Amino acid sequence: MALRALVTLLFVPLFLSPATFGYSQANIKKWCSQTPNPEPCEYFLSQKPNFHNPIMQKSDFLTISKKLALERALKAQSNVFSLGPKCKNAREKAAWADCLELHEYTHHRLNKTIDPNVKCSQTDAQTWLSTALTNLETCRPVPYTVPSYKHGFPTWVKPGDRKLLQSSSAPKANIVVAQDGSGNYKAIKEAISAASSQSGRGRFVIYVKAGTYKENIEIKLKNIMLVGDGIGKTIVTGSKSVGGGSTTFNSATIAVVGDGFIARDITIRNTAGATNQQAVALRSGSDLSVFYRCSLEGYQDTLYVHSQRQFYRECDIYGTVDFIFGNATVVLQNCNIYARYPPNKINTLTAQGRTDPNQNTGISIHECTVKAASDLVASQSSVTTYLGRPWREYSRTIFMKTYLDSLIAPAGWMKWSGNFALNTLYYGEYANTGLGSSTANRVNWPGYHVITSASIASQYTITNFISGGSWLPATNVPYTADL
């Protein structure tokens, strides 16, 4: 809790004007009173009298806070490691392993905010701090009761095409993967291992020829690019699920955390099925990651946009319950979102997980299409499909200029549990079309908004929401910068 509070308080100095604190030295209590969590702030600052220089301005306070958070992160990582022997079964052991990994990522992100050799803008800092908090939350038990088909992360605390390569815009492949032996390797995992010794500072391209690759892959290297032969041609498939004994976090067929990841023209599937609960096809915690002309296929929890800044363009996404979920700052553009037939007769497209109002996270769905998948079309009248529901207290999701077909329920949005988050969430709809786009009978929650102002909607565009103009051009992926 102390580490979470320390990470949370770091957001405040990013936004307060210098006048808020003044430029004279102030006592610890005065500084900490401006934060969301004064008590842990006061405690940890007072425990480190020689840890910092005098606090003269907000930048001093931010630096001190980041150093403290990093110190506590290292301590927390050590504490989590010591809990391994206390795990009673395979499920607890798997969840413990997830938490170890997440604490490692938290340490890495916090360190980047204070490393003088790392370029860190205000947006970068807010993104990485948001990610640190998301990592910690992923290790927490869900603090409220949810029905069995809803997801909460089990933890140790509580166990619950070639043409592309020939185009001028695509880089030359460094490694070729082909099941028929015509490439350098037959498995994608082998190519990733080879990349660890061959990759340098530039982008490393792995071309995966057409075929079905039954693998679960984790990519930690930076600037990796996977290029396939097209949707339905190059297929990566796995079947891990919570129902099968995995954690949600570790069920992904492909999981990426190395920054700058790009995937093009690939299908990523989780074939666990509709009744095996949470089963992730793709999990991304890769900052500045891009997915272009990919198909992401599963049922519950298909696409886990876990954290960082992400962009999806011309992708197909299939699922049932909460099948686009997580706490990244993400834009989906010109994508097809297909709801499948769910066992419980209820579909929810999104479940966004922002836990703090200062996090710059959210799901923005822009110029996409929402329709029933082929298995749902015939039974559409017996299934209720919602745009989303609030997984966490400050859940934020926006649909803009998107075609919503008749499968969308008139109310639009679904509660999670009772009145949880209805006042604090932010759900918005702007200039959508289609039989399911009418807002006449939408929910009347305080956090729901029918957006009529272009200036408000523009906050959730490529330019403003993920600062795409500074990094997307280098990926050679098309995008619409603004509304």
Side-chain angles (χ1 to χ4, degrees), residues 11-307:
F11 291 113
V12 175
L14 291 173
F15 302 104
L16 293 176
S17 66
T20 302
F21 294 125
Y23 285 91
S24 61
Q25 185 174 4
N27 60 48
I28 290 173
K29 191 173 185 67
K30 178 180 177 181
W31 284 92
C32 290
S33 68
Q34 309 295 318
T35 73
N37 298 281
E39 291 184 3
C41 174
E42 291 177 27
Y43 175 80
F44 286 108
L45 281 178
S46 65
Q47 296 298 307
K48 296 288 182 177
N50 300 316
F51 190 79
H52 52 79
N53 295 320
I55 305 173
M56 304 298 293
Q57 53 192 6
K58 66 172 183 176
S59 59
D60 298 330
F61 183 60
L62 179 57
T63 299
I64 293 164
S65 299
K66 289 189 291 187
K67 288 181 177 179
L68 279 169
L70 179 58
E71 181 189 68
R72 299 309 302 174
L74 290 169
K75 178 65 174 177
Q77 187 176 12
S78 176
N79 289 339
V80 171
F81 182 80
S82 70
L83 293 168
K86 298 180 181 180
C87 296
K88 299 177 181 178
N89 53 52
R91 186 179 293 276
E92 288 187 10
K93 191 76 172 179
W96 170 75
D98 288 351
C99 284
L100 275 182
E101 184 175 355
L102 286 157
H103 274 77
E104 179 184 344
Y105 299 154
T106 297
H107 172 214
H108 172 65
R109 292 300 169 185
L110 289 173
N111 192 55
K112 287 184 72 173
T113 67
I114 62 174
D115 188 339
N117 298 312
V118 174
K119 182 180 178 181
C120 180
S121 67
Q122 178 172 307
T123 300
D124 291 332
Q126 190 185 12
T127 297
W128 299 337
L129 292 171
S130 294
T131 297
L133 186 54
T134 298
N135 290 342
L136 297 174
E137 288 294 332
T138 305
C139 278
R140 285 161 57 94
V142 179
Y144 38 82
T145 303
V146 296
S148 60
Y149 68 90
K150 300 175 181 178
H151 58 72
F153 294 96
T155 71
W156 63 269
V157 178
K158 186 180 180 181
D161 128 95
R162 193 165 304 182
K163 292 181 180 178
L164 175 62
L165 288 170
Q166 296 170 346
S167 72
S168 60
S169 64
K172 180 181 178 181
N174 299 97
I175 288 178
V176 176
V177 179
Q179 290 180 322
D180 61 8
S182 62
N184 305 102
Y185 300 96
K186 291 185 177 181
I188 301 171
K189 274 188 177 179
E190 295 173 344
I192 298 297
S193 296
S196 64
S197 60
Q198 297 182 37
S199 61
R201 299 183 65 181
R203 186 164 304 286
F204 193 90
V205 182
I206 300 173
Y207 168 39
V208 186
K209 288 187 175 184
T212 300
Y213 300 81
K214 296 182 179 180
E215 304 184 55
N216 287 90
I217 302 161
E218 184 173 32
I219 302 172
K220 296 184 177 181
L221 300 174
K222 293 182 179 180
N223 298 321
I224 295 294
M225 181 176 185
L226 289 185
V227 181
D229 274 327
I231 289 175
K233 295 179 180 179
T234 298
I235 302 167
V236 186
T237 180
S239 60
K240 288 186 176 182
S241 68
V242 168
S246 176
T247 62
T248 302
F249 186 79
N250 197 41
S251 67
T253 299
I254 292 184
V256 291
V257 291
D259 293 347
F261 178 80
I262 301 176
R264 298 175 64 156
D265 297 276
I266 290 178
T267 290
I268 305 171
R269 288 178 182 160
N270 190 310
T271 60
T275 61
N276 261 319
Q277 303 175 60
Q278 302 87 350
V280 177
L282 170 67
R283 167 170 56 84
S284 178
S286 167
D287 199 14
L288 312 181
S289 54
V290 175
F291 301 85
Y292 178 44
R293 299 190 309 217
C294 293
S295 184
L296 312 172
E297 303 173 6
Y299 291 87
Q300 183 173 350
D301 289 9
T302 303
L303 172 57
Y304 193 173
V305 288
H306 182 263
S307 55

Side-chain angles (χ1 to χ4, degrees), residues 443-463:
V443 295
N444 60 356
W445 309 337
Y448 171 71
H449 305 271
V450 178
I451 302 173
T452 58
S453 166
S455 62
I456 293 177
S458 67
Q459 296 174 19
Y460 304 101
T461 59
I462 291 290
T463 295

